[in-house]
Amino acid sequence: MTSGKRTRAAKGSASAARPPRAAKGESASVAHHAGAVPSRTNDIRAAFLDFFAKNDHLVLPSAPLVPRHDPTLMFTNAGMVPFKNVFTGAEKPKAPRAATAQKCVRAGGKHNDLDNVGYTARHHTFFEMLGNFSFGDYFKERAILLAWELLTRDFAVPKDRLLITVYADDDEAASLWRKISGFPDKKIIRIAGSDNFWSMGDTGPCGPCSEIFYDHGPGIAGGPPGGASPAPRAGRW
């Protein structure tokens, strides 16, 4: 999606049959009960990977925390890092769709969360980033639909507690969110700047992105994303 879950995918239109899992991973040992909403970390991880496996994604194991053959990073700091060469065209993907639970460290460089640890409820130095990726397969509509189904159906997150953000001039994403979620425009916030524009670095793949935020309620301080509140996103969202 973090408080928001980003939905990103590489543009394309190729179709693929369901690929096998590359590795069972830790989540394979977690049993699920039909209709149960996952609440523990292991259950959430397993449910996420199982959901995308059922939707034709190749489930790959977490890459090492110290990236192989990448002198630009000391640590893996995002789920897309193991796919950098795929995004730039230097390597071919193992499958057109993939899903991972990537172990990450953010303690320096572009993504340095050290200064925010202890001051917010959502920043960590070590965490797992759950991600789904499309390499020349589906694009915005499918990415949004999968994210919405996972959160509201499989995880049973109440729709009335959710808020969507899109890049300021991304009319396509805003229109798709209205269609898929049924939300009015006031619950689909357009934000300019880096918050809703993703980039791999100073050069390379980049583009507008979208996030889903959860409202913890008025008892917690903080305004909505993109707002002018004295304490925007202080913890409520």
Side-chain angles (χ1 to χ4, degrees), residues 167-186:
Y167 189 64
D169 59 1
D170 193 349
D171 296 332
E172 181 186 11
S175 176
L176 288 169
W177 274 117
R178 285 193 297 270
K179 170 186 171 183
I180 291 170
S181 70
F183 279 179
D185 287 340
K186 67 180 182 180

Side-chain angles (χ1 to χ4, degrees), residues 66-236:
V66 178
R68 297 190 182 106
H69 315 300
D70 189 345
T72 68
L73 292 173
M74 182 176 293
F75 300 111
T76 298
N77 59 13
M80 57 72 58
V81 167
F83 303 112
K84 284 173 68 173
N85 286 341
V86 175
F87 283 122
T88 59
E91 294 180 6
K92 291 185 177 181
K94 295 180 179 179
R97 304 178 182 188
T100 61
Q102 176 61 47
K103 295 177 175 62
C104 301
V105 168
R106 290 191 172 181
K110 176 187 175 186
H111 295 295
N112 179 16
D113 287 347
L114 278 176
D115 292 340
N116 291 315
V117 173
Y119 292 94
T120 76
R122 65 184 185 277
H123 285 93
H124 310 277
T125 50
F126 174 75
F127 59 95
E128 283 186 302
M129 184 176 288
L130 305 179
N132 59 293
F133 304 87
S134 171
F135 311 111
D137 190 54
Y138 61 81
F139 196 40
K140 291 182 184 180
E141 183 167 13
R142 184 67 175 162
I144 289 172
L145 178 62
L146 289 171
W148 188 249
E149 287 183 348
L150 175 65
L151 286 180
T152 62
R153 186 189 67 191
D154 290 44
F155 288 166
V157 177
K159 296 178 183 179
D160 60 353
R161 304 293 289 272
L162 300 178
L163 189 70
I164 310 299
T165 65
V166 299
Y167 189 64
D169 59 1
D170 193 349
D171 296 332
E172 181 186 11
S175 176
L176 288 169
W177 274 117
R178 285 193 297 270
K179 170 186 171 183
I180 291 170
S181 70
F183 279 179
D185 287 340
K186 67 180 182 180
K187 294 203 69 175
I188 303 171
I189 300 176
R190 294 172 181 258
I191 298 178
S194 60
D195 276 356
N196 278 84
F197 194 90
W198 175 85
S199 62
M200 193 174 77
D202 293 335
T203 60
C206 63
C209 63
S210 184
E211 294 184 314
I212 307 172
F213 288 87
Y214 179 81
D215 184 2
H216 289 275
I220 299 177
S229 165
R233 291 175 57 181
R236 176 172 176 175

Side-chain angles (χ1 to χ4, degrees), residues 51-66:
F51 172 84
F52 284 103
K54 291 174 182 176
N55 281 278
D56 306 329
H57 290 65
L58 178 67
V59 176
L60 295 168
S62 175
L65 272 178
V66 178

Side-chain angles (χ1 to χ4, degrees), residues 25-37:
E26 184 179 356
S27 64
S29 63
V30 181
H32 292 294
H33 300 287
V37 177

